[in-house]
Amino acid sequence: MALRYYYNSETCKYEPSVVSPSKFVKKVFNFIGISLFIGICGLGYYNYMYPLVDEVNLRKENKKLKAEWQVIHSELKKTSDHLAEIEKNDDSNYRVILSMDPLSASQREAGVGGHEKASAEIDIPLIGSAMDFASKIESRLNVETQSMSELKDQWAENQKQWSARPAIQPISNKELIHLYLAFGERFLPQDGYSRQHNGLDFVAPYGSPIYATGDGVVSYASGGTTYGNVVFVNHGYSFETRYAHMSKFIVTVGQLVKRGQVLGYVGNTGHSFGNHLHYEVRYQNNFVNPINFFQRDLNNKEYEKLISHAIDSPISLD
Ligand SMILES: [Zn+2]
């Protein structure tokens, strides 16, 4: 190795320059480091400026994939918006009509985020966010599906309840001669005293059909001295109807009957003065005025005809 000299101002002589081993090693490493840095930068610049064919294709593919994911995102957004419309209709219309409470925000969000862990494991932002979006939509759909199922059940229950409720006249207007509006305490001329009259009296020709006023089960069908031939129908939901003084009944205890089904025929049996149907409605074991259970279901013409036959009567026929 060639010696190097330096001028020593203290001794006023040229003296040999001695480099320590550690300084020598440090200089070598510095040289290698700088060379590597320059080499890597040069290689990167070269690759960028002159990419390989595969890399060009990969870049194109990547650009295309990004565009496709944007389309998926856009479609997911549309799905989410449609779902929001259905949720709004559910809460504002369907549930209101069926007297059900709208779902709370916490119920709507139940389960949202259940797939967060799975999507968090995907560290590609576009795919990860699309997965999150899709997971949230799926959770909302599950809640909405459950809600629709509840609506369907409630609708079926309401239908059943409305079918069971006494809601029509037990005697058709075609046969009706007079309707004695005689609910409450009434005078009975034949007996010469007043007593509680718990129903309405429909005067109609002997043998006119008597109809069940709602769906139910025949709970009693028998003959007696007071009601005569009588049928009781249990409608459920605390409703019962009674049809008295029939000439005959054609149903049996335990039989299911539908609204409008013939139970028997008008007669004059039991404690009765003239062919008529004595009709009672009981709700929660109390007698209620039957007029409130068919009047609203008549159209204008039917109602006018009913009124023309109705007599606000101080007396009753039984
Ligand atoms: Zn009566």
Side-chain angles (χ1 to χ4, degrees), residues 158-172:
N158 284 14
Q159 287 290 94
K160 196 175 154 197
Q161 199 167 337
W162 276 105
S163 298
R165 184 184 166 90
I168 63 168
Q169 285 176 229
I171 298 286
S172 161

Side-chain angles (χ1 to χ4, degrees), residues 97-98 150-160:
I97 290 166
L98 294 172
E150 287 172 13
L151 287 171
K152 189 179 160 199
D153 291 346
Q154 186 63 45
W155 174 255
E157 175 58 24
N158 284 14
Q159 287 290 94
K160 196 175 154 197

Side-chain angles (χ1 to χ4, degrees), residues 180 188-191 193 195 197 200-206 210 224-230 243-247 265-279 315-318:
Y180 282 81
L188 202 56
Q190 291 81 356
D191 289 341
Y193 58 84
R195 67 185 182 95
H197 185 253
L200 301 182
D201 292 333
F202 291 79
V203 179
Y206 182 89
I210 296 167
T225 54
T226 307
Y227 276 135
N229 291 326
V230 66
Y243 311 78
H245 312 305
M246 293 178 171
S247 56
Y265 301 95
V266 169
N268 188 27
T269 57
H271 191 259
S272 169
F273 302 96
N275 291 320
H276 80 287
L277 166 71
H278 171 88
Y279 174 61
I315 63 166
S316 67
L317 297 179
D318 46 43

Side-chain angles (χ1 to χ4, degrees), residues 95-129:
R95 287 183 169 264
V96 171
I97 290 166
L98 294 172
S99 304
M100 295 168 77
D101 291 330
L103 292 185
S104 66
S106 61
Q107 284 172 306
R108 285 266 175 223
E109 285 164 15
V112 171
H115 299 278
E116 273 175 6
K117 194 181 171 196
S119 55
E121 285 167 3
I122 297 168
D123 58 0
I124 303 169
L126 273 177
I127 299 177
S129 66

Side-chain angles (χ1 to χ4, degrees), residues 15 17 69 89 137 145 173 203-204 233 237:
E15 292 180 358
S17 171
W69 276 109
N89 267 335
I137 290 173
T145 303
N173 272 342
V203 179
V233 175
Y237 309 100

